[in-house]
């Protein structure tokens, strides 16, 4: 709900203080704990039945079902958040442009695509081929994510 332009300068100053400019850490650290992620996980935890917490009692978190972590490798809420966050940040251009100043080895795919466009000439065949290749990870994630999320969602809260 808050546009990136509002938080761009404060986030840049934090990343600068952490000495992460020109590193891939500048792209990862700000997205680890986002407001959207906190809101989404809060809403997810509110949907869990209270019986799960009551059945756990005061013992270890795996007391309800010790084998739950083997059935569902990633809880449904965290897996959904990871997929959404990855898809959200994959095509980001402005933040990598601001934080990756000189290190061309740390350029994201979108910054690399921008280098194909010159001031006098654009190599359209390279731009078109790279754009198609940049869509492949999103297409694969779109096809694979439901299969990864389905077991976690189907067994959420079940002991069986």
């Amino acid at each position: 709900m808050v546009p990136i332009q509002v938080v761009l300068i404060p986030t840049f100053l934090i990343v600068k203080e952490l000495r992460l400019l020109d590193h891939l850490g500048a792209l990862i650290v700000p997205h680890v704990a986002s407001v959207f992620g906190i809101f989404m996980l809060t809403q997810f935890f509110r949907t869990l039945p209270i019986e799960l917490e009551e059945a756990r009692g005061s013992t270890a978190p795996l007391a309800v079902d010790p084998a739950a972590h083997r059935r569902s490798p990633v809880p449904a809420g965290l897996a959904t958040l990871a997929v959404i966050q990855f898809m959200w940040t994959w095509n980001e251009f402005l933040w990598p442009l601001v934080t990756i100043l000189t290190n061309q080895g740390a350029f994201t795919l979108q910054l690399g695509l921008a280098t194909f466009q010159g001031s006098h000439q654009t190599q359209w065949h390279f731009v078109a081929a790279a754009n198609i290749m940049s869509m492949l990870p999103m297409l694969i994630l779109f096809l694979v994510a439901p299969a990864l999320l389905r077991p976690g969602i189907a067994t959420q809260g079940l002991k069986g």
Side-chain angles (χ1 to χ4, degrees):
M1 291 177 44
V2 178
I4 184 81
Q5 293 83 359
V6 173
V7 296
L8 187 72
I9 294 173
T11 308
F12 177 82
L13 292 175
I14 292 171
V15 167
K16 182 181 174 187
E17 284 296 316
L18 293 173
R19 296 185 177 152
L20 293 175
L21 291 180
D22 278 344
H23 297 321
L24 290 177
L27 306 177
I28 298 169
V29 171
H31 295 293
V32 169
S34 64
V35 175
F36 172 74
I38 293 169
F39 172 75
M40 185 178 158
L41 287 178
T42 302
Q43 295 302 101
F44 171 73
F45 289 133
R46 285 185 180 178
T47 63
L48 293 177
I50 193 70
E51 289 82 14
L52 282 177
E53 188 175 344
E54 292 171 354
R56 183 175 66 89
S58 62
T59 59
L62 294 177
V64 174
D65 186 4
H69 66 282
R70 282 177 269 171
R71 261 198 330 267
S72 175
V74 179
L78 289 176
T80 304
L81 177 62
V83 168
I84 290 172
Q85 194 72 14
F86 179 76
M87 292 178 80
W88 192 344
T89 58
W90 177 255
N91 283 324
E92 199 169 38
F93 182 78
L94 181 62
W95 181 246
L97 182 65
V98 168
T99 57
I100 308 297
L101 304 172
T102 58
N103 185 3
Q104 287 190 352
F107 273 14
T108 61
L109 187 61
Q110 283 64 35
L111 290 179
L113 283 172
T115 62
F116 286 136
Q117 298 177 352
S119 58
H120 300 293
Q121 182 181 12
T122 300
Q123 300 169 344
W124 289 111
H125 54 287
F126 288 138
V127 173
N131 276 324
I132 290 173
M133 290 176 57
S134 73
M135 288 188 289
L136 288 178
M138 287 295 102
L139 182 63
I140 291 169
L141 185 64
F142 178 76
L143 295 173
V144 172
L148 293 175
L149 296 176
R150 197 172 300 119
I153 294 169
T155 61
Q156 193 69 44
L158 299 177
K159 187 173 181 173

